[in-house]
Amino acid sequence: MLHKRVMGAAGATVAIGALVLAGLQGAAFGSDSPDTPDSASGQYSPGLLKAMQRDLDLTAAQARTRLANESEAGAVAGTLRLSLGRSYGGAWVSGKTSADVVVATTDATEARKITDEGARAKVVDHSLARLDAAKADLDRVAEHSSPAHVPVWYVDTTANRVVLHTSRPAAAERFAAAAGVDASLLKVQRSDEKPRTYADIVGGDAYYIGSGSRCSVGFSVTRGGGQNGFVTAGHCGRTGATTTGVNRQAQGSFQGSTFPGRDYAWVGVNSQWTPTPTVNGYGTGTKQVQGSTEAVERAAVCRSGSTTGWHCGTIQQRNSSVTYPQGTISPVTRTNVCAEPGDSGGSFISGTQAQGVTSGGSGNCSSGGTTYFQPVNAALQVYGLTLTTTDGGPTDPPTDPPGGTWSTGTVYQAGDTVTYGGTSYRCLQGHQALPGWEPPNVPALWQAV
């Protein structure tokens, strides 16, 4: 969320919230007990916990425990993804407080390796790599012609299949056949879902494009020598379109925008606007942004938008494709968080970690719905942006850092390798590197190899 500089101290909110990653070095993973000590306890925004209680039917203690468990689940899953290699079938959390992390494998002999890491093993037919490849084949066909009557498809790790939503199963079968995808990898699910983008009704915070349409701010960013701005959805405006802020004062313009295909954009703002590492909680308190580490599937996630405010749910599937009337978007993340028109571009955040910007979906916040977000790390990487976060990582950055290929501001994906201080490291969870997050300091993100 961006605040006008003229707001002064009264417009800024005290930073609250704990770095999710810090919890990974504390209590053991997998506790259902609300009394289990963890570094997140008492440090998350009361509003965040209240929204999780409302939308996920949790107590405040259960919400704190869930956040701590989910932060550790990412590190466990990342470690096993590397050690299992080709047999890795995906990972997800389960239980009211995410006390269990399940890791799938195609090789039954690897079950002991999984349980030794504190996870539960599930033997499946297909590796995640094979399912991802099948979905990529569907995406390639959709690039040339969006499939009729098949608005959504994604890799569902819990079902170990590529799931296609359709009101006409025969249409889904034709789509899969055109892509050359083996039917054994697929699950066709009958659905009347009709996703649309969330723009053009009267915004985190609202902003206005041109003379009328409205969207929501995603996350504050900077670029290069100090150009401030924010990320948002690409369908909200084309490159060059001008914007005004929530107060209808001149704000900036779209510096880059991609839609369809992807759904991300960034707006550069004028000197009257100052980026802050916060998200509007709409009556539940301001949320602090401390990084962009990707949460594991089934983890809790909350959304902020200018139409419906603050709502929470869980991450359903990460590698999803969705077809709007304007074309197909991929990859986006599927959630069961509700949203409505005008929420587009708004923030998706898990704990204190930015996840993405609202793209579109179906349903509403009265009866419930499905919403997709564009992962924020993709936008940061494509446009060369740096996420605005609270000062400092898990430790103070070294004043005279050792050499290596690791660098701040770089977006790393799981499996990427770097060197730092003469040691090689492999990335466990996707994130944008920040000062203080040097590989030796964050074993939740980097594993020495």
Side-chain angles (χ1 to χ4, degrees):
M1 181 179 66
L2 299 177
H3 289 290
K4 285 291 292 272
R5 181 172 294 158
V6 296
M7 290 174 66
T13 302
V14 176
I16 48 180
L19 176 62
V20 170
L21 300 176
L24 303 186
Q25 303 173 48
F29 175 78
S31 172
D32 269 315
S33 171
D35 298 322
T36 299
D38 63 82
S39 62
S41 181
Q43 297 180 27
Y44 286 105
S45 158
L48 170 66
L49 300 175
K50 184 177 293 185
M52 290 178 66
Q53 292 174 69
R54 179 194 67 197
D55 294 339
L56 297 174
D57 190 27
L58 303 171
T59 66
Q62 287 173 330
R64 286 193 296 270
T65 301
R66 179 165 182 155
L67 288 168
N69 285 341
E70 289 174 355
S71 65
E72 180 139 355
V76 172
T79 299
L80 286 168
R81 180 174 191 152
L82 295 180
S83 62
L84 295 176
R86 294 182 179 180
S87 73
Y88 179 74
W92 58 93
V93 290
S94 65
K96 199 173 187 70
T97 60
S98 298
D100 295 320
V101 58
V102 184
V103 176
T105 178
T106 59
D107 185 352
T109 66
E110 299 279 24
R112 178 62 180 273
K113 183 183 294 186
I114 294 171
T115 56
D116 284 347
E117 290 289 338
R120 182 159 55 90
K122 181 176 182 179
V123 180
V124 294
D125 296 327
H126 311 297
S127 69
L128 182 60
R130 188 179 184 197
L131 296 175
D132 283 344
K135 180 182 172 292
D137 289 336
L138 295 172
D139 291 343
R140 279 190 285 272
V141 172
E143 286 178 4
H144 302 290
S145 178
S146 294
H149 310 295
V150 188
V152 176
W153 58 100
Y154 50 79
V155 173
D156 188 339
T157 55
T158 62
N160 196 229
R161 293 291 187 276
V162 178
V163 178
L164 295 87
H165 284 220
T166 181
S167 59
R168 302 183 185 182
E173 292 167 3
R174 288 193 297 271
F175 177 37
V181 175
D182 190 326
S184 68
L185 300 172
L186 304 175
K187 176 183 177 182
V188 176
Q189 183 168 318
R190 187 179 289 276
S191 171
D192 293 324
E193 185 175 350
K194 295 179 180 180
R196 81 279 194 197
T197 52
Y198 289 131
D200 297 333
I201 309 261
V202 232
D205 272 7
Y207 72 95
Y208 300 87
I209 305 92
S211 60
S213 61
R214 173 175 59 85
C215 276
S216 302
V217 171
F219 297 96
S220 297
V221 296
T222 58
R223 185 182 185 188
Q227 171 64 62
N228 296 326
F230 59 87
V231 289
T232 188
H235 72 263
C236 288
R238 295 186 177 184
T239 302
T242 59
T243 67
T244 54
V246 63
N247 56 4
R248 288 291 198 171
Q249 298 300 305
Q251 181 187 67
S253 64
F254 280 78
Q255 303 299 299
S257 179
T258 303
F259 181 80
R262 304 288 189 268
D263 194 7
Y264 43 55
W266 84 282
V267 173
V269 299
N270 61 42
S271 61
Q272 297 302 306
W273 294 83
T274 301
T276 69
T278 56
V279 171
N280 191 338
Y282 285 93
T284 68
T286 299
K287 318 306 174 189
Q288 198 167 26
V289 179
Q290 296 186 341
S292 61
T293 303
E294 293 182 356
V296 70
E297 292 186 4
R298 307 301 183 185
V301 68
C302 298
R303 177 197 56 74
S304 179
S306 60
T307 297
T308 59
W310 182 255
H311 289 272
C312 299
T314 58
I315 293 173
Q316 301 294 291
Q317 293 86 23
R318 279 205 167 273
N319 188 7
S320 301
S321 295
V322 58
T323 298
Y324 302 129
Q326 302 93 328
T328 298
I329 312 299
S330 179
V332 289
T333 298
R334 177 180 171 87
T335 76
N336 61 6
V337 185
C338 71
E340 295 180 11
D343 288 328
S344 277
S347 325
F348 264 88
I349 187 168
S350 183
T352 60
Q353 301 297 302
Q355 298 297 307
V357 297
T358 304
S359 175
S362 57
N364 55 52
C365 288
S366 296
S367 59
T370 298
T371 301
Y372 301 85
F373 68 77
Q374 173 74 64
V376 68
N377 283 331
L380 300 177
Q381 185 173 36
V382 165
Y383 296 124
L385 305 170
T386 299
L387 185 69
T388 302
T389 61
T390 56
D391 293 334
T395 64
D396 292 330
T399 56
D400 185 19
T405 60
W406 180 89
S407 63
T408 60
T410 301
V411 174
Y412 292 107
Q413 304 298 329
D416 288 350
T417 58
V418 299
T419 58
Y420 185 84
T423 301
S424 295
Y425 295 87
R426 184 172 289 124
C427 181
L428 298 178
Q429 303 180 74
H431 66 284
Q432 183 174 56
L434 300 172
W437 288 24
E438 291 75 15
N441 296 335
V442 279
L445 297 181
W446 295 100
Q447 181 184 74
V449 294

